Amino acid sequence: MSDLTQLEYSRAQSTATDGTSSDEARGLIMTVAQAADERKAVDIVLLRVAEVCYLADYFAIVTGFSNVQVRAISQAIADQVEEEWQRLPLRTQGLSDASWVVMDYGDAIIHILKPQEREFYNLEAFWGHAERIDFSPAP
C-alpha cells in the first residue's frame, strides 16, 4: 500500500468512525441485519467489537447459500443503508468471487459468507470475546 493510499485510508477511517455516535453505529448494524434477513440470509450474528478491535465498532456476519444470494444480500444491504443512513460503503471486496463479500462502512464491517467459508474461517470464534448483539429475524 502506498503512503498516499494509507493516508487516504486513515482519513476515511477517522472521518467514518469519529463522526458517528455509538447509537448511530448500532442503528446502522441493525439496518444491515434487517436487510440481510429480508434477502433470506441465515445465521445472522452481530458483534460489538469496539472494546476488542480498533477496526470498527460492529461486525455483522451472515450466511448466503450461493454466489447469487451473497451478491443479492450485499446489494440489499448497500441499498437499505444508503436509503436510511445516506451512506455508501467505504469499500466492498469479494463481489467477483462472491464466496465471501466484505463491506466496510468504517464503524461497521459486514461479512457475507457462503457456508463453507464461514465454517472454515470461523469468525465468531476468532471474535468470540466480543459482545453479541441480539437480533431476531422476522418470522
Side-chain angles (χ1 to χ4, degrees), residues 88-100:
L88 298 172
L90 299 172
R91 67 202 50 76
T92 300
Q93 295 291 319
L95 282 173
S96 60
D97 181 41
S99 59
W100 181 359

Side-chain angles (χ1 to χ4, degrees), residues 11-139:
R11 285 184 184 152
Q13 284 295 98
S14 65
T15 301
T17 55
D18 291 348
T20 307
S21 73
S22 180
D23 289 343
E24 193 173 319
R26 187 179 178 98
L28 175 81
I29 205 70
M30 295 308 283
T31 298
V32 164
Q34 290 167 350
D37 181 54
E38 288 172 7
R39 282 293 175 187
K40 307 297 185 218
V42 297
D43 200 13
I44 298 170
V45 174
L46 305 179
L47 301 173
R48 184 174 181 276
V49 295
E51 302 297 320
V52 296
C53 172
Y54 67 89
L55 296 173
D57 293 338
Y58 292 92
F59 281 179
I61 306 168
V62 306
T63 298
F65 291 102
S66 68
N67 295 2
V68 172
Q69 186 185 19
V70 167
R71 286 186 192 106
I73 293 166
S74 171
Q75 189 61 55
I77 290 169
D79 292 346
Q80 196 67 28
V81 169
E82 184 177 9
E83 182 180 316
E84 289 186 28
W85 297 94
Q86 294 73 49
R87 291 179 60 183
L88 298 172
L90 299 172
R91 67 202 50 76
T92 300
Q93 295 291 319
L95 282 173
S96 60
D97 181 41
S99 59
W100 181 359
V101 172
V102 179
M103 303 174 75
D104 182 357
Y105 282 93
D107 50 354
I109 298 176
I110 295 85
H111 301 270
I112 309 161
L113 302 100
K114 288 174 48 180
Q116 307 88 311
E117 284 75 9
R118 186 156 180 179
E119 182 180 340
F120 181 79
Y121 291 104
N122 200 4
L123 296 176
E124 291 94 331
F126 187 78
W127 296 104
H129 51 293
E131 174 190 352
R132 282 191 178 230
I133 305 300
D134 290 330
F135 172 75
S136 299

